[in-house]
Amino acid sequence: MTRLNVVLLLAVLASAIYLVHTQYESRRLFTELDRAVAEARRLETEHQRLQVEKRAQATPLRVEKIARAQLNMRTATPAITQYVSDPQGVATATTAAAAAASQPAGVQP
């Protein structure tokens, strides 16, 4: 009978130690999860802030201001626009367009 009591006592002690270990792990994992959720919230907030900043940086007025100030660009007007004509290129493009139009559907030249 004494052996049975010792075996049962060892089983109860092992069970108690396992229970304490399991509770400790559970608390540790819960704390880790809580930290991860807080980090996710922080990253989401930072992402939203960066998106707003990105939209603010890309406004047309700001882009035009930087183009004028830093790149010395100006608005295109007919007075400063130079037109280049290529009579040979126009003839080639016209011929290719006419040839494509005369072909039946689905047939390639």
Side-chain angles (χ1 to χ4, degrees), residues 54-70 73 75:
K54 178 181 166 186
R55 284 191 295 269
Q57 295 291 325
T59 60
L61 183 61
R62 183 177 182 282
V63 170
E64 184 176 346
K65 180 180 172 185
I66 290 174
R68 287 182 190 275
Q70 294 179 1
M73 296 177 82
T75 306

Side-chain angles (χ1 to χ4, degrees), residues 95-107:
T95 306
S102 67
Q103 294 291 327
V107 177

Side-chain angles (χ1 to χ4, degrees), residues 10-82:
L10 289 176
V12 167
L13 287 175
S15 175
I17 291 172
Y18 180 73
L19 177 65
V20 168
H21 175 72
T22 304
Q23 286 179 341
Y24 172 77
E25 277 297 308
S26 174
R27 288 184 184 124
R28 188 185 64 77
L29 289 173
F30 182 77
T31 304
E32 190 176 322
L33 176 65
D34 193 39
R35 285 183 188 144
V37 168
E39 178 71 8
R41 261 189 255 119
R42 186 189 67 78
L43 289 173
E44 181 63 31
T45 303
E46 184 177 353
H47 180 262
Q48 290 173 355
R49 182 187 60 79
L50 290 172
Q51 290 294 329
V52 168
E53 188 175 322
K54 178 181 166 186
R55 284 191 295 269
Q57 295 291 325
T59 60
L61 183 61
R62 183 177 182 282
V63 170
E64 184 176 346
K65 180 180 172 185
I66 290 174
R68 287 182 190 275
Q70 294 179 1
L71 302 176
N72 297 323
M73 296 177 82
R74 57 184 184 215
T75 306
T77 62
I80 62 171
T81 304
Q82 296 179 0

